[in-house]
């Protein structure tokens, strides 16, 4: 509902609302002011996950393309899709249509061209900036939509991911009631790992300790589009955007298996393979009370035959584990 100040919080309180999820556009100081003015209202803030390119979920792209609206919890992240850019020409009716020639968006090529800017140019504005272009989404070939902006890449609306781990202590001091992790299109592995990291940080700070810096590495090991701390502290705009790639990438770990059954007598687990892993790989068993790393020494299929590799999704194999595990426990591979 774009709740950005204490007056709005007080209004919702009069209607019987017990908890407010504050807009992501607020700074730490603004959140603190709301807490001071509304001491008896529960406040919840986003600390991790995807950031919306629009103002607190007011984007219309997903609803337009797929009839799935962001503020109804069904956004398809259309802002992160790949779009091709087409130069245009005017047809006999005065409308624009795609032109066949390729566009060169190399800024250095333009700058080094003495004819790129007129002699009386005072702004050094890119000569292509004021033209009309058409974008074409990869899954909708032939559907051209006008765009009035120069490009630094094809992912024109792709935000970095939010990571506010460094602000957990301040948010606890302010008195925020709940930290929210955005995971609408994420796997249960992602949810487990991020919740685990923030839980460890909260618990350490509650004990009066500093949380371990390795928690940053744990978050970096998850698929992400590059991190920013969003609007909690003000930054230059380039820190929010990722124009080069819309894919979430994991740099140091990959989710590879889920425990189906645990054999206590033989300290091994029957696992549902999610991604390829091999003998000798260093794996990590993800547990609520703490993770356990181990080197994989054996793999067997359900018939008891030894394997060198668990090829990937669709396979079920037995592997030894360093400690007891419950059904649904997760296993990652260090890359």
């Amino acid at each position: 509902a774009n709740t950005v100040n204490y007056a709005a919080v007080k209004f919702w309180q009069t209607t019987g609302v017990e908890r407010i999820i504050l807009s992501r556009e607020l700074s730490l100081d603004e959140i603190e002011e709301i807490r001071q003015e509304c001491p008896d209202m529960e406040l919840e803030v986003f600390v991790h996950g995807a950031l919306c390119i629009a103002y607190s979920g007011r984007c219309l792209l997903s609803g337009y393309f797929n009839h799935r609206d962001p503020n109804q919890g069904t956004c398809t992240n259309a802002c992160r899709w790949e779009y091709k850019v087409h130069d245009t020409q005017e047809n006999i009716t005065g409308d624009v249509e795609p032109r066949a020639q390729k566009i060169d968006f190399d800024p250095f090529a333009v700058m080094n061209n003495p004819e790129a800017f007129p002699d009386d140019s005072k702004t050094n504005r890119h000569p292509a900036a004021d033209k009309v272009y058409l974008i074409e989404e990869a899954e909708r070939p032939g559907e051209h939509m006008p765009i009035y902006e120069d490009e630094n890449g094809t992912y024109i609306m792709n935000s970095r991911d939010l990571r506010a781990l460094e602000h957990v202590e301040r948010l606890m001091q302010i008195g925020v009631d709940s930290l929210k992790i955005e995971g609408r299109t994420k796997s249960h592995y992602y949810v487990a790992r991020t919740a685990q990291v923030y839980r460890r940080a909260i618990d350490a700070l509650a004990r009066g300790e500093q949380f371990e810096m390795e928690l940053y590495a744990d978050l970096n090991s998850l698929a992400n589009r590059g991190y920013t701390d969003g609007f909690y502290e003000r930054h230059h705009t380039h820190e929010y955007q990722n124009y080069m790639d819309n894919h979430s990438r994991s740099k140091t770990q990959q989710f590879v298996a889920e425990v189906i059954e645990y054999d206590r007598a033989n300290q091994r687990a029957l696992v549902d393979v999610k991604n390829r892993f091999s003998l000798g790989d260093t794996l990590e068993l993800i547990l609520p009370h703490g993770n356990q790393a181990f080197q994989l020494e054996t793999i067997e299929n359900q018939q008891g035959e030894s394997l060198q590799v668990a090829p990937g999704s669709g396979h079920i194999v037995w592997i030894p584990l360093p400690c007891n595990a419950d059904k649904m426990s997760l296993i990652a591979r260090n890359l």
Side-chain angles (χ1 to χ4, degrees), residues 31-137:
I31 294 171
E32 185 170 24
E33 180 186 26
I34 291 173
R35 167 48 76 218
Q36 291 172 349
E37 295 291 337
C38 308
D40 53 348
M41 169 62 87
E42 292 185 15
L43 299 179
E44 183 169 313
V45 298
F46 280 95
V47 292
H48 198 89
L51 281 172
C52 186
I53 199 65
Y55 191 90
S56 275
R58 295 294 182 175
C59 177
L60 301 177
L61 286 177
S62 180
Y64 177 79
F65 283 136
N66 297 315
H67 307 292
R68 290 177 55 178
D69 296 302
N71 267 3
Q72 293 181 2
T74 56
C75 179
T76 56
N77 294 327
C79 59
R80 294 189 173 90
W81 296 346
E82 179 184 3
Y83 295 90
K84 296 178 181 177
V85 182
H86 299 275
D87 199 1
T88 59
Q89 61 188 9
E90 189 172 306
N91 60 25
I92 58 174
T93 64
D95 296 322
V96 292
E97 61 185 15
R99 187 193 298 271
Q101 71 185 61
K102 180 183 177 183
I103 308 171
D104 183 5
F105 281 122
D106 181 357
F108 296 103
V110 175
M111 292 297 183
N112 292 331
N113 179 5
E115 298 179 358
F117 298 99
D119 293 336
D120 60 350
S121 174
K122 298 292 193 297
T123 62
N124 267 7
R125 184 171 174 79
H126 194 294
D130 294 320
K131 293 191 63 177
V132 177
Y133 297 97
L134 298 176
I135 58 173
E136 178 186 13
E137 199 272 309

Side-chain angles (χ1 to χ4, degrees), residues 138-210:
E139 299 300 320
R140 291 174 170 76
E143 294 186 28
H144 298 98
M145 297 166 284
I147 187 169
Y148 304 88
E149 192 172 352
D150 180 26
E151 301 301 313
N152 277 327
T154 56
Y155 302 98
I156 56 174
M157 296 171 286
N158 187 41
S159 171
R160 293 178 185 268
D161 286 345
L162 173 65
R163 185 203 66 194
L165 183 63
E166 59 266 44
H167 299 308
V168 169
E169 184 173 15
R170 175 80 186 278
L171 290 169
M172 291 173 66
Q173 292 170 347
I174 288 171
V176 167
D177 294 277
S178 178
L179 305 183
K180 191 176 187 71
I181 295 172
E182 188 280 328
R184 178 179 296 141
T185 60
K186 303 297 187 181
S187 68
H188 54 303
Y189 168 75
Y190 175 94
V191 172
R193 292 305 306 272
T194 50
Q196 183 185 61
V197 166
Y198 282 90
R199 179 77 267 162
R200 286 171 60 190
I202 292 168
D203 290 347
L205 293 166
R207 293 191 300 266
E209 307 167 0
Q210 287 295 316

Side-chain angles (χ1 to χ4, degrees), residues 266-300:
N266 297 295
Q267 288 191 303
R268 63 176 189 163
L270 187 66
V271 302
D272 183 5
V273 180
K274 302 298 183 181
N275 285 292
R276 177 189 175 96
F277 59 89
S278 308
L279 289 182
D281 282 347
T282 299
L283 304 183
E284 187 171 4
L285 180 62
I286 313 300
L287 298 170
H289 55 271
N291 302 340
Q292 292 284 327
F294 63 100
Q295 191 166 29
L296 185 61
E297 297 177 351
T298 62
I299 306 174
E300 293 181 354

